[in-house]
Amino acid sequence: TSIIFLKGNDYLISNLLMSLALAFLIISLLMASIFKSLRMILISIVPNIIPLLFTAGIMGYFGVNFKPSTVLVFSVAFGIAVDFSIHFLTKYKMELQLSNNISSAVKKVQLEISNSMIYTAVILFFGFIIFVFSDFGGTIALGLFTALTLFIALLSNLILLPSLLLSYDKAKSKKE
């Protein structure tokens, strides 16, 4: 049974990595079709990688092993974090076409989008954190780590994403 468990665990981890790589590729292609810029693709991916790395680091620090319940955290949280980014960036592109000024477009998007992102994140956070009161360890881990990852994803998309967009503005203005 130990060999079967180890093979199953290896299969889960390799499939997690494969599905995340495929998701990154699809999101990159989507962002490439929207923005047609390599720098914008990188800007859109960075705020979505950080919550996953943060959660993996916390799991490693506390010695939490990869199990089916903990592996699910990455897929669920990545999907929601990407949703935050896509919501922000599509609104940003619309505002950028109207104002043609990156700084004002970022500010306007932050004012309009941040409340809905926060409300969504709070609802999902409490929806997952309720799993902590379960008696099953896998459910506790799923709820705790997904809620933590969603919180970091929200901060990443509200703070880091606008900062990256503004740094893109500064880099663009230096070239001109």
Side-chain angles (χ1 to χ4, degrees), residues 80-95:
I80 295 168
V82 164
D83 184 52
F84 289 157
S85 293
I86 290 173
H87 192 128
F88 192 98
L89 290 170
T90 53
K91 183 68 175 169
Y92 164 76
K93 181 166 181 168
M94 288 189 298
E95 290 298 329

Side-chain angles (χ1 to χ4, degrees), residues 12-34:
L12 279 173
I13 292 170
S14 66
N15 277 337
L16 166 72
L17 295 175
M18 182 62 77
S19 68
L20 286 176
L22 184 61
F24 279 117
L25 177 67
I26 291 170
I27 290 162
S28 296
L29 291 174
L30 176 67
M31 290 301 165
S33 70
I34 293 172

Side-chain angles (χ1 to χ4, degrees), residues 11 32 69 98 107 117 124 136 168:
Y11 180 75
S69 57
L98 293 174
K107 287 176 188 172
M117 286 173 60
L124 290 170
F136 181 61
Y168 179 63

Side-chain angles (χ1 to χ4, degrees), residues 91-166:
K91 183 68 175 169
Y92 164 76
K93 181 166 181 168
M94 288 189 298
E95 290 298 329
L96 189 59
Q97 289 172 346
L98 293 174
S99 70
N100 206 18
N101 181 340
I102 292 175
S103 181
S104 66
V106 168
K107 287 176 188 172
K108 187 159 185 175
V109 170
Q110 276 187 308
L111 288 173
E112 292 180 13
I113 299 296
S114 61
N115 283 341
S116 64
M117 286 173 60
I118 291 169
Y119 291 145
T120 302
V122 166
I123 290 166
L124 290 170
F125 178 85
F126 285 110
F128 280 104
I129 205 71
I130 198 77
F131 290 173
V132 171
F133 300 107
S134 171
D135 291 331
F136 181 61
T139 305
I140 294 169
L142 174 69
L144 181 65
F145 289 118
T146 304
L148 174 68
T149 308
L150 290 174
F151 179 70
I152 300 301
L154 175 68
L155 292 178
S156 181
N157 280 293
L158 286 178
I159 298 169
L160 182 62
L161 184 57
S163 299
L164 290 172
L165 290 170
L166 291 172

